[in-house]
Amino acid sequence: MGHLHGKVAIVTGAGQGVGQGIALALADQGAAVAVLGRTPEKLAATRELLWARGARAETFVCDVADTERVPHLVREIAERLGRIDVLVNNVYDGAYGPLLSLSDADFQRGFRSGPFATFAFMKACHPHLKSSGDGVVINLVTSAMVRWDLSTYGAYAAAKTAVRSLTRTAANEWGPDGIRVNAIAPHAASPGYLRWSEANPEEAEAFCASIPLRRVGDCEADIGRAVAMLCGPDARYLTGATVPLDGGQANFD
């Protein structure tokens, strides 16, 4: 039995990529997983992978940007799985490009799926995480927040900077409730990254060369397992931190 045996984790955007890798790693440590996302077929594929490892898993189709539905959804998850101990806010669905190329709707979309959704899930999960006695929130941010050149990344970095601020604030306010709140900033070989690297091989080679470890992380082995560690007792005194899971590329100092 792993260190998350008997615990229940919510992972948004768990149908593929980083979210799926995190869900698998949490399950390997014994957690039951609520698999959230917009595409039923992708959620079902993740659930099958989890079942194949002997994990308990349930799928919940949702658009995290529909924040009014979040409290009902969290109640449904708690009823079906019995409790909530871990929340992983992974989803981001926003726009990229020069600021003057973005419409107001483009810019706002990233905030709805990013900090607005993150806040809604954190607030709805708070009583369950407090009841757990060892609640954990992991919010995904990005090294683009500290990128040397933010050109084309402005909307993304702005939304994720808001998530990072929420993370630090909740860590301060919820520590007395026994809830730890941290953020991770990963580089991962997600489907989106793989499509980009195949279409832009020279840029991808240069990008990897800028990473001290000379590779992009595996969604489960490098990102998911680190999240599983952060959710466990070995990280019990770590809260309010932003952990760069990027092979040493970014400078968060």
Side-chain angles (χ1 to χ4, degrees):
M1 293 187 294
H3 62 253
L4 298 177
H5 177 73
K7 296 184 179 293
V8 173
I10 294 176
V11 183
T12 69
Q16 64 180 1
V18 173
Q20 184 183 81
I22 291 172
L24 292 170
L26 293 175
D28 276 355
Q29 289 300 322
V33 183
V35 181
L36 275 60
R38 292 185 299 189
T39 308
E41 295 78 12
K42 292 181 179 180
L43 299 181
T46 297
R47 182 182 60 195
E48 291 297 325
L49 292 173
L50 291 164
W51 284 353
R53 298 188 185 194
R56 184 182 181 192
E58 300 276 357
T59 61
F60 299 84
V61 178
C62 70
D63 180 349
V64 300
D66 182 6
T67 54
E68 290 186 1
R69 189 187 165 213
V70 170
H72 171 77
L73 177 61
V74 168
R75 285 195 298 270
E76 181 184 356
I77 292 168
E79 289 171 1
R80 285 172 59 179
L81 292 176
R83 57 189 293 155
I84 298 169
D85 305 275
V86 174
L87 168 64
V88 179
N89 286 300
N90 166 59
V91 170
Y92 175 79
D93 178 24
Y96 301 85
L99 293 178
L100 293 179
S101 73
L102 302 177
S103 67
D104 288 351
D106 288 336
F107 189 81
Q108 292 167 12
R109 192 172 80 244
F111 275 78
R112 291 194 182 96
S113 65
F116 292 177
T118 296
F119 175 71
F121 272 96
M122 288 171 63
K123 188 175 180 181
C125 286
H126 175 271
H128 303 282
L129 298 171
K130 183 177 179 180
S131 295
S132 166
D134 185 27
V136 179
V137 179
I138 303 291
N139 295 325
L140 271 75
V141 293
T142 175
S143 60
M145 300 182 303
V146 294
R147 187 178 169 84
W148 61 95
D149 179 2
L150 276 168
S151 300
T152 76
Y153 290 97
Y156 179 44
K160 290 297 189 178
T161 297
V163 172
R164 189 184 186 194
S165 182
L166 278 174
T167 300
R168 181 65 184 173
T169 303
N172 292 163
E173 295 181 354
W174 297 358
D177 297 330
I179 302 170
R180 295 186 294 107
V181 189
N182 290 299
I184 63 165
H187 283 333
S190 64
Y193 171 81
L194 294 175
R195 287 192 297 270
W196 173 80
S197 63
E198 289 171 3
N200 304 276
E202 292 183 2
E203 292 179 44
E205 183 178 359
F207 178 74
C208 286
S210 72
I211 299 173
L213 292 183
R214 297 296 191 269
R215 64 181 179 84
V216 173
D218 180 82
C219 290
E220 179 183 356
D222 295 315
I223 311 305
R225 291 179 187 171
V227 169
M229 182 275 293
L230 291 171
C231 293
D234 288 345
R236 67 180 188 174
Y237 201 54
L238 181 67
T239 193
T242 297
V243 181
L245 300 176
D246 64 353
Q249 186 194 53
N251 182 359
F252 277 85
D253 294 340

